[in-house]
Amino acid sequence: MTTPFPFTAVVGQDDLRLALLLNAVSPAVGGVLVRGEKGTAKSTAVRALSALLPEVAVVPGCRFSCDPASPDPACPDGPHEPGPGAARAARMVELPVGASEDRLVGALDIERALSEGVKAFEPGLLAEAHRGILYVDEVNLLHDHLVDLLLDAAAMGASYVEREGVSVRHAARFLLVGTMNPEEGELRPQLLDRFGLTVEVAASREPDQRVEVVRRRLAYDDDPDGFAARWAEEEAAVRARIAAARELLPRVRLGDGALRQIAATCAAFEVDGMRADIVMARTATALAAWAGRTDVLAEDVRQAALLALPHRRRRNPFDAPGLDEDKLDETLEQFSGEGESESEGDDDPDPDGPGGGGGQPAPDAGPQDGDPAARPEAGEGGEPQPSGAGEQSAVRAAEPFRTKMLSVPGIGEGAAGRRSRARTEHGRTTGARRPRGALTKLHLAATVQAAAPHQRARGRSGPGLVVRRDDLRQATREGREGNLVLFVVDASGSMAARQRMGAVKGAVLSLLLDAYQRRDKVGLVTFRGSGAEVALPPTSSVDVAAARLEVLPTGGRTPLAAGLLKAHDVLRVERLRDAARRPLVVVVTDGRATGGPEPVALASRAARLFAADGVASVVVDCETGPVRLGLAGQLAGELGGTAVTLDELRADSIAGLVKDVQRRAA
């Protein structure tokens, strides 16, 4: 077994280490979501934590790690009689991105359940992680239904497996840790809220600290055992401190003053629901125990807010994470005199004691490079500065709005999402077929119908149905898939009027928000001047697409053909990478073509390539004024799609209207 990198040897990343340790002290905090760029020791720190957790006592032979002092009465391997158990190290279980639902929650042998009435259950990763750590690297790339399953199990402390009336329940209490790179896509706000704490990590810009990181990593790679031995004393000290904090935790008192500060802070930052209040209370209590105190102080509440609230304030993927610390301090100060005295002072704890009280301010959580909040608000104040011949600087997008839904016709088989019809593992049942490989979703009626004619020949003599493998039928289900939405945006001089381009950007931003909610991949191709460029290759990160759109300059001629050909090339490459994900091309233009020789004829031929490939498309007609040439409508006809104006793109009601993209008439 590979020796893990010592937790205490991780350089910097104070917030990350503190959040992990607080969950080790109190798993009820609800886990940690670690957000940050690649190569910032996210995975290293999580894997190192498992070596610090105290050993657990388990019932010998139990596949579900029951506690011998209090065995689970519903354990599938039970019942267990109370008695001495066997001690083992706490496990860290990794959930791979490509895991199936059965691998996560376990699987029932449907054939034995039907023919023998036996609940033959094979445990999954949730059972293996019970009383340990469940680590999900790149949690934002997991299918939504898998994220729902593991977060539900984390919230309820149990996992339920249901297969056509046969059910199994087992305990599943674990420390949930997820890591993600925001550049590869965001989690939905509902899922973000299910993680207790979140931390933002980034590589240090201090040369001395970077040197120390490299020095320690090289030393570990050369001799893992020797390196770990040099940190054994520090590791033992932290392990003992975790055990002491766990023992102290039940005696920590959360006074009314601290509770009022927690409630006031959550109200001031307008977080949804009550989960934030509960998580902050548990985190502040764990901070006090970690510091060796039995009273929760204001500094504990402050640190708890910095860890528990930033990800709960995001209303859409373009909001920057973080917390206004001045506003936080004002709120805590306003309510510092109310309630009990233990929430007022900072002079009670020993500043040199363990953890320093846990209330030290976190590193600045303001916008980082690449965050939406850090984007220049181009076009605000003053005249636009020229950025090249015939170009204007970027203008700010108009306020986004809710759009009508655009979907790809037909039935696909792509990644789960919320846009177009598809055959999926989840959704309404539409029929049955013979299983290909392992049976996952039994169609009970079809199975019984297939087995019924053979009962006499099989010698059936009792009430049970004699079922064989050939009788089993897999349910076919229809749900929704996510698509590749490729935006082809005209940034030429004909679109360059400030008010007009602001409205166009607002429309594209609105479509990006819609793509985020429907779990699509997005890409961005722009054309202006003498050619076209891929401003953003297909990605799951719509906030990156929004950032590229925000700084998009305009000007020059309109090489429409170049834009369409570039988009066609992007789709060709993506088809090789992910053939199951169907594309939807959204061309945002007024339909003019002025760049290059024979621009209109070239654009027409390029558009017909999409129609020949059967690619679903829609043209957002940006033409304005009392006299309209209708060029965007002609382009839509050649693409084999439809055209909508900017006004028609808006949903007519809160619920929105459904508008399918039509293929070219046969």
Side-chain angles (χ1 to χ4, degrees), residues 109-116 433-435 437 439 442-444 446-461 464-474:
D109 189 330
I110 300 297
E111 185 174 359
R112 291 189 63 193
L114 285 175
S115 60
E116 302 175 27
R433 60 172 173 80
R434 292 181 182 274
L439 178 70
L442 178 75
H443 194 297
L444 183 58
T447 298
V448 172
Q449 186 176 12
H454 309 291
Q455 295 306 293
R456 180 176 297 179
R458 293 173 184 174
R460 172 185 170 185
S461 58
L465 190 67
V466 180
V467 179
R468 293 181 180 172
R469 175 69 185 174
D470 290 343
D471 301 327
L472 299 179
R473 294 294 182 269
Q474 174 86 22

Side-chain angles (χ1 to χ4, degrees), residues 253 258 261 284 288 293 295-302 341-349 357:
R253 194 166 73 94
Q261 286 184 315
R293 290 183 275 100
D295 289 323
V296 174
L297 305 180
E299 60 194 32
D300 299 323
V301 176
R302 186 183 194 279
S341 60
E342 69 267 17
S343 64
E344 297 177 359
D346 294 337
D347 55 352
D348 181 36

Side-chain angles (χ1 to χ4, degrees), residues 165-481:
V166 180
S167 65
V168 172
R169 173 218 170 268
H170 65 82
R173 292 183 295 276
F174 46 81
L175 167 55
L176 177 63
V177 182
T179 61
M180 60 175 285
N181 184 346
E183 292 181 357
E184 296 174 339
E186 288 285 355
L187 281 173
R188 301 196 313 266
Q190 301 93 321
L191 303 184
L192 282 171
D193 186 52
R194 300 300 290 271
F195 283 94
L197 309 179
T198 186
V199 290
E200 298 279 334
V201 296
S204 172
R205 300 299 185 257
E206 292 293 330
D208 290 343
Q209 195 172 74
R210 296 176 74 96
V211 166
E212 186 61 24
V213 170
V214 175
R215 181 181 290 120
R216 293 186 186 183
R217 185 70 211 190
L218 292 177
Y220 170 77
D221 291 341
D222 289 341
D223 182 9
D225 293 334
F227 184 82
R230 292 195 292 274
W231 289 88
E233 186 175 343
E234 289 85 349
E235 292 283 284
V238 173
R239 190 179 297 109
R241 187 174 172 185
I242 292 174
R246 283 187 171 187
E247 184 177 349
L248 181 63
L249 186 66
R251 303 200 300 273
V252 175
R253 194 166 73 94
L254 182 66
D256 288 344
L259 273 174
R260 287 187 64 82
Q261 286 184 315
I262 290 170
T265 301
C266 292
F269 285 100
E270 300 180 349
V271 296
D272 295 332
M274 295 297 297
R275 185 174 285 118
D277 303 62
I278 296 170
V279 170
M280 274 190 65
R282 290 172 173 166
T283 305
T285 303
L287 280 162
W290 178 247
R293 290 183 275 100
T294 56
D295 289 323
V296 174
L297 305 180
E299 60 194 32
D300 299 323
V301 176
R302 186 183 194 279
Q303 184 66 70
L306 292 173
L307 293 172
L309 296 188
H311 61 301
R312 293 184 165 89
R313 295 189 60 248
R314 303 190 78 194
R315 293 296 186 268
N316 64 61
F318 311 140
D319 291 340
L323 214 60
D324 184 339
E325 295 193 31
D326 291 336
K327 181 178 179 179
L328 173 60
D329 291 335
E330 290 173 6
T331 303
L332 294 176
E333 178 67 25
Q334 179 181 353
F335 287 86
S336 64
E338 301 188 18
E340 302 174 42
S341 60
E342 69 267 17
S343 64
E344 297 177 359
D346 294 337
D347 55 352
D348 181 36
D350 178 4
D352 297 324
Q360 295 302 314
D364 181 19
Q368 305 294 320
D369 291 343
D371 284 344
R375 302 178 200 129
E377 296 295 343
E380 288 189 281
E383 293 300 318
Q385 298 299 316
S387 57
E391 291 187 358
Q392 292 183 346
S393 60
V395 300
R396 187 178 182 182
E399 194 69 21
F401 52 86
R402 183 161 186 175
T403 68
K404 295 178 181 179
M405 191 179 83
L406 307 173
S407 62
V408 179
I411 301 179
E413 295 182 348
R418 297 185 174 184
R419 183 173 298 278
S420 305
R421 295 173 57 198
R423 286 180 285 271
T424 63
E425 288 294 317
H426 298 270
R428 63 186 182 89
T429 301
T430 57
R433 60 172 173 80
R434 292 181 182 274
R436 305 185 189 103
L439 178 70
T440 56
K441 300 290 183 182
L442 178 75
H443 194 297
L444 183 58
T447 298
V448 172
Q449 186 176 12
H454 309 291
Q455 295 306 293
R456 180 176 297 179
R458 293 173 184 174
R460 172 185 170 185
S461 58
L465 190 67
V466 180
V467 179
R468 293 181 180 172
R469 175 69 185 174
D470 290 343
D471 301 327
L472 299 179
R473 294 294 182 269
Q474 174 86 22
T476 57
R477 302 192 176 195
E478 183 178 308
R480 293 279 171 177
E481 68 177 0

